[in-house]
Amino acid sequence: MKRLAAAMALLVLLGALPAPAAAPAEITVSGNGTVTLPPDLATVDATVETNAESINDAISENNARYERVVAALGRAGIARTDVTLSNYNVNYNPKPKFVRPNDEQRYGYTVNRSFSVKVHRIAMAGQAIDACTSNGATAVNDVGFTIANPVPARDRAISLAVANAREVALKIAGAAGLRIAGIKSMDYGGGPIEPQTIVMARAMPAPAPTPPTELDQSNVSVTVNVNVVFLAVP
């Protein structure tokens, strides 16, 4: 009898205990944040290309043209440290001996030097282009406008992305009769800076004075993406 009474008391006690809580539901959402602001840095990509029958002549002429460009940029207030080499190559194309050379083909040695110019005062981007094309550059490939220090804009974009993810999660939870109870995990996807790029046509130095280059630049964007797993309960 004592054993039976103890067993019944245990059953009563177990019946009085609350049922285990159901596991929280998981709501996975993506949030996006974008900050748009004016650019404060321009980058001019240019090329000096020379051609000669002698490799020494092709290299010497290329060096001379490049130094004229760098000196002109210096007079415009652009430091030499803001002019950086992007690519340098030398190619040789021999003139055919037994067939008539193609008048449109370049024979001999061709030296191609591509370089980037950082312009911290973006209003001077057009002046930097003119300094290149008027002093020996054979092409300006493109001009880009961006942000020198994207960290503050990125941090603001992160806040916007997380807020966007939470807003979406709240709507989903509310529609399902749930409430957000916490966060299980977060994944920072980062995001690109979307600079404005102006593709330039091939620009050859002209013997006659040319009008100064004028450029318009629009705002640039910093975008961040986050993936968040929220926990929701009744």
Side-chain angles (χ1 to χ4, degrees):
M1 292 294 294
K2 291 182 178 180
R3 291 182 179 180
L4 179 60
M8 293 181 64
L10 179 59
L11 289 174
V12 172
L13 179 62
L14 291 175
L17 293 176
E26 295 183 3
I27 301 175
T28 303
V29 297
S30 296
N32 301 302
T34 299
V35 174
T36 302
L37 64 168
D40 59 8
L41 177 68
T43 302
V44 178
D45 292 328
T47 297
V48 172
E49 185 175 279
T50 53
N51 175 261
E53 293 186 3
S54 163
I55 187 172
N56 290 335
D57 291 344
I59 292 175
S60 296
E61 182 184 356
N62 197 284
N63 290 341
R65 287 192 177 199
Y66 178 71
E67 288 301 325
R68 289 202 306 269
V69 169
V70 172
L73 291 170
R75 292 191 294 271
I78 297 173
R80 191 181 186 103
T81 52
D82 285 327
V83 184
T84 56
L85 180 68
S86 302
N87 183 61
Y88 185 91
N89 61 69
V90 179
N91 293 314
Y92 177 64
N93 184 22
K95 185 178 293 186
K97 297 180 179 180
F98 304 107
V99 296
R100 180 179 178 180
N102 187 341
D103 294 337
E104 298 180 357
Q105 182 77 335
R106 302 181 74 177
Y107 299 103
Y109 290 91
T110 299
V111 178
N112 186 293
R113 181 199 309 253
S114 298
F115 55 95
S116 295
V117 182
K118 289 184 179 179
V119 186
H120 297 280
R121 294 165 55 192
I122 61 174
M124 293 180 56
Q127 187 175 348
I129 292 172
D130 296 337
C132 291
T133 57
S134 299
N135 291 276
T138 52
V140 173
N141 305 310
D142 61 63
V143 182
F145 295 92
T146 187
I147 306 166
N149 179 17
V151 173
R154 182 208 61 192
D155 292 347
R156 174 60 178 157
I158 290 174
S159 298
L160 293 174
V162 173
N164 175 238
R166 185 171 184 82
E167 179 184 1
V168 174
L170 286 171
K171 290 181 179 179
I172 295 174
L178 302 173
R179 61 181 178 84
I180 299 299
I183 295 175
K184 179 180 180 181
S185 64
M186 299 182 68
D187 175 27
Y188 168 64
I193 299 176
E194 299 176 3
Q196 185 203 23
T197 300
I198 302 174
V199 179
M200 304 292 293
R202 187 174 178 85
M204 298 295 293
T210 57
T213 301
E214 297 181 359
L215 300 172
D216 292 327
Q217 68 275 346
S218 60
N219 291 339
V220 297
S221 298
V222 178
T223 301
V224 166
N225 305 307
V226 294
N227 297 311
V228 186
V229 179
F230 290 91
L231 299 176
V233 296

